[in-house]
Each structure stands twice: as C-alpha cells, then as structure tokens.
Amino acid sequence: MARLKEVRDPKRLEREWESNPRWEGITRDYSADDVERLRGSIDIKFTLAEMGADRLWHLLNDEPFVAALGALTGNQAIQQVRAGLEAIYLSGWQVAADANLAGQMYPDQSLYPVNSVPSVVKRINQALQRADQIDHSEGKHDTHWFAPILADAEAGFGGCLNAFELMKAMIEAGAAGVHFEDQLASEKKCGHLGGKVLVPTSHFIRTLSAARLAADVCGVPSILVARTDANSATLLTSDVDDRDQPFMTGDRTSEGFFGISGGIEMAIARAIAFAPYADLLWMETSTPDIKEAKQFAEAVRREFPGKMLAYNCSPSFNWAKKLDAHQIASFQRELGAMGYKFQFVTLAGFHALNYSMYELARTYKKEGMTAYSRMQQEEFEAEKFGYTATKHQHEVGTGYFDEVMKVVSNGQSSTTALDRSTEAAQF
C-alpha cells in the first residue's frame, strides 16, 4: 500500500507535468488532484498503450517523419511491420466499411457501434503479439512487432463524457494515440464528403480536454491528435464562441445550423486554439497541395514553434492527376520538413485488399489455377525481401502451438501439426 500511495501522490504528478519535456506546451484545465480523485484505488497498468505511446513519441521526435498505412485487419498490420513500417494507422472509415461490430457495411458517418475501433485495435495488437510469440519461440529478435497504433475516434460519438469513455476504451485496447475531429458527432461525415457540421471551438476544446483527462486517469502518455475539418465545412452548430464569429456568414439552415465560410483561415484559427490541448494538429484537406500545407504549417508554428502536425495522404485524392511523378516522390519529404511528423494513407488497407482480390478473381475466372499459381510464384519471389506469409500455416502460429504441445507432453506428442504437413513437405 505504501508503494501505491507514493505512485498516486498528486504533487508527484504535478512535478511530472512541469518537468517532463513530454508535456511542454500542453495545457490541462484540471489539476493533479482531479486526476487522482478519478483514478480509483488500484493501479491498473496498460502496458501496450503506454509502451506504444512512448515509442510513437520518440519516433515523432527522432525521425524526419513517421509514415503509416491504414490497416484493416491484424494480418495487414503484421505485413506492414514485417515490411519495415514503424507505426500503424487505424481508420474509422475502414472500420465502418468492413470491420465494425454491427457486422454491417457503412459509410464514414459514425453509424457503427462506438466500441468497434477499440475492438479492432485489440485485434491488431493480438495479431502482433502472436507474430512476436512465433519469432521469440524460434529465437528471432530482429523485429519490434508492437508498432504503435494511432486510432480514429471520429467526433467522439457524443459529448465530453462519450469522448472520455472512448479514450479509455482505446487505451485499454492498446492504442498509442487517438485523434478526434471538430465535427458534430450526430452529423459526422468523412472529411472528403459534403454536409459537415462543426461544433464551436470551445466545445471541441472540451472534447480534447476530456480525452487528455482519460489518458491521465489511466496513467498513459497517449498521443492526442486534434483534427479540424474547417477547411471544407460550411455549417456550425452555434454562434456562442467569439473565435468563430469572423467566419460566420449570417445564414441559417432549416435544421438551425449557422452558415460559415470555412477555408484555410478558419482551419488555422481553430488549430491555433486547439494547439495547447493536443500533441499534433491535423487539417483535413481536399487536395494534395504543398502550398496549402505550407501556409497552414507556417501560421500554426508562428504561434506554437515546434508544434507537430499530421497529414492525411488520402486515397480520395487522384495523386497522378494533381501532381507529376517528381512532386509525388518528394511530397512527403517536403511535408516532413514543414513539421508534418505523422503522414498516413488512411484507406490503404481497404484499397489493397479490394484491388488485390479483384485482380486475382478476374484472372482466376479467365485462367483458372494458372492465375493462382502466378500469384503464388510472386509470393515466393517476395521472400527475398522478407515476406513469410507464403507459409500460411506457420504464419498464423501452427508451429508455436506445436511447441506448446511438446512442452505439456514432455516432448512425447504424436499429434503435432506441422510434422508431415503439406507445407513442411512442399514449401
């Protein structure tokens, strides 16, 4: 009990906030006493979330930028890590489309159950844990399997209490970081759709504060990303916040929403207001525009030097139509130099899954097993780069559970699975 009391000393937490560079520039509108009062009497550890948050923070600070792809499944995450990516992005759009707990296909409008993204975070972490167990049992230690996951919390699925609980669920599932957006949750849309309704600046600051409080209550230094959709939004719920006044048009809709001009100036104003409450800032954009990205970065960093930014390298953009080959190749390096430290392709998993399966199905219909064999030979060819899923039985842990069987049977088992398997004989 003495150790627990010492760990929970609010003054110690205050000193941590004041002295640790991790919290430089971060504002909390609550006290360490508030955190202690809300924590409960036992110290629950959230190892994966804490380890992931620490690792992602160091990557963001040590690398020119962190490049990530959106993963839809645990196996996609495994392949990303095996190929050398150091972080994973988990998109709410992808969860809505094909990985939500309602078992439905949805557009990106927060129609799925609120615990769906935490469920996929947990599933990805369990897949990475299995890959780690397989390697470890075979004496391989050259891959850091637990890549930090940055997960999509949409607009919080409600008010501040909903954001608080959702953030806790993300941490319990092992997310390293979470992003929230400044839309009205009940009208939430994908950033590349129309009809977006923003909440007042002060409302979203409370959402961010609720998420940070949840992380502090859990004792995890979660990465918190604030996204604004102001660049292309045209509606606002209320005129209560003076900071929103310069962008109001005076129009009202049949639902009672207020018209706004939107645009990059409004996005900049909001990002500056959100900056003290977030670790990274993200402006959702309609095109891959370096000049626009530079304008946003320079304006924000004049007010908050060194504040890190995030950029959605979206598959909603027609990259080859908007940029030439050289511009595409240099795009991320240029963004990194401006301070965009986390850059991600949100829907990479969705497009990779659909395109690869469509191509296989199309050629299989035409050529039969010739098409499948050709894909298999491409898998064999990829092994020289580190690809291992050609041996699908091994990939999912058959050999690992053979080792479990041998241990519990003192090495006398006659039912191990890989011995005399077709995979062992032919691959």
Side-chain angles (χ1 to χ4, degrees):
M1 290 299 294
R3 184 192 67 80
L4 184 59
K5 185 177 181 180
E6 180 184 1
V7 170
R8 293 307 193 85
D9 179 7
K11 293 189 181 302
R12 181 174 177 176
L13 183 56
E14 286 179 355
R15 291 194 295 271
E16 163 75 9
W17 291 348
E18 292 171 358
S19 62
N20 190 337
R22 168 67 181 87
W23 304 119
E24 184 177 351
I26 296 299
T27 294
R28 290 174 167 87
D29 293 334
Y30 51 84
S31 69
D33 286 312
D34 293 326
V35 173
E36 168 56 26
R37 190 174 69 257
L38 295 171
R39 274 182 165 176
S41 62
I42 63 172
D43 206 21
I44 299 173
K45 297 296 184 184
F46 300 99
T47 303
L48 292 180
E50 184 174 3
M51 181 176 68
D54 285 338
R55 183 169 176 81
L56 182 54
W57 182 253
H58 286 296
L59 288 169
L60 290 168
N61 282 276
D62 295 343
E63 300 294 330
F65 62 90
V66 177
L69 297 173
L72 186 58
T73 71
N75 274 291
Q76 285 190 333
I78 287 173
Q79 300 313 317
Q80 290 179 13
V81 175
R82 195 181 295 283
L85 296 185
E86 295 184 292
I88 294 165
Y89 178 71
L90 178 54
S91 156
W93 194 105
Q94 293 193 149
V95 172
D98 203 20
N100 64 79
L101 294 177
Q104 297 284 349
M105 179 185 288
Y106 285 129
D108 186 16
Q109 295 180 233
S110 290
L111 292 167
Y112 58 81
V114 64
N115 57 337
S116 294
V117 170
S119 176
V120 180
V121 171
K122 183 176 181 180
R123 186 173 182 84
I124 288 174
N125 272 324
Q126 288 175 328
L128 296 176
Q129 183 178 19
R130 181 71 72 227
D132 176 72
Q133 290 169 340
I134 293 168
D135 268 14
H136 189 75
S137 70
E138 296 174 352
K140 301 174 183 175
H141 307 290
D142 56 348
T143 301
H144 180 90
W145 281 106
F146 295 98
I149 302 169
L150 181 68
D152 186 351
E154 308 272 4
F157 287 82
C160 297
L161 297 182
N162 303 82
F164 179 84
E165 285 295 289
L166 178 54
M167 187 71 179
K168 285 172 57 182
M170 294 287 201
I171 290 168
E172 290 169 1
V178 180
H179 71 77
F180 290 81
E181 61 205 51
D182 60 351
Q183 293 190 48
L184 175 63
S186 61
E187 295 287 348
K188 179 264 181 322
K189 306 289 193 304
C190 168
H192 300 109
L193 294 175
K196 293 183 289 295
V197 182
L198 304 185
V199 296
T201 296
S202 56
H203 182 140
F204 188 59
I205 287 173
R206 289 195 297 274
T207 297
L208 295 173
S209 186
R212 182 75 72 190
L213 176 61
D216 286 338
V217 166
C218 291
V220 176
S222 303
I223 309 301
L224 184 58
V225 182
R227 166 179 144 182
T228 179
D229 284 88
N231 197 356
S232 61
T234 58
L235 300 171
L236 181 70
T237 60
S238 170
D239 62 353
V240 68
D241 197 311
D242 290 342
R243 288 168 289 192
D244 297 324
Q245 291 293 332
F247 310 101
M248 303 191 71
T249 64
D251 301 324
R252 296 290 294 274
T253 70
S254 59
E255 301 93 343
F257 299 133
F258 292 79
I260 53 173
S261 59
I264 190 169
E265 294 299 334
M266 186 175 187
I268 289 169
R270 289 198 149 214
I272 289 171
F274 303 154
Y277 299 90
D279 298 304
L280 287 86
L281 301 169
W282 164 12
M283 175 183 67
E284 188 71 301
T285 63
S286 299
T287 58
D289 188 329
I290 282 289
K291 290 182 179 179
E292 181 185 58
K294 183 179 180 181
Q295 182 182 352
F296 178 79
E298 289 180 347
V300 168
R301 299 184 108 194
R302 268 196 302 270
E303 298 291 327
F304 294 94
K307 178 60 72 171
M308 292 187 285
L309 310 172
Y311 196 94
N312 175 10
C313 298
S314 176
S316 293
F317 307 155
N318 186 332
W319 286 81
K321 183 177 181 179
K322 294 294 183 180
L323 305 173
D324 62 32
H326 174 75
Q327 290 171 321
I328 293 172
S330 64
F331 192 81
Q332 290 184 296
R333 292 195 303 275
E334 292 185 52
L335 287 179
M338 297 176 195
Y340 291 92
K341 301 291 287 191
F342 192 80
Q343 302 178 34
F344 49 106
V345 182
T346 47
L347 315 184
F350 176 88
H351 286 279
L353 184 154
N354 282 282
Y355 179 69
S356 62
M357 181 51 71
Y358 177 82
E359 277 300 291
L360 175 60
R362 182 183 67 82
T363 55
Y364 179 70
K365 177 176 174 59
K366 180 180 179 180
E367 304 175 49
M369 284 310 298
T370 298
Y372 188 84
S373 177
R374 182 167 58 247
M375 185 194 76
Q376 191 177 57
Q377 294 305 309
E378 291 172 355
E379 286 189 280
F380 288 136
E381 181 66 18
E383 288 180 352
K384 66 185 179 185
F385 302 114
Y387 180 75
T388 62
T390 314
K391 299 179 180 179
H392 49 261
Q393 304 285 13
H394 174 272
E395 190 80 358
V396 299
T398 304
Y400 174 81
F401 284 99
D402 276 354
E403 292 302 310
V404 173
M405 178 64 75
K406 291 174 184 177
V407 170
V408 298
S409 64
N410 293 316
Q412 300 301 309
S413 175
S414 60
T415 61
T416 53
L418 277 186
D419 287 345
R420 297 179 299 280
S421 69
T422 55
E423 181 167 287
Q426 297 182 45
F427 290 75

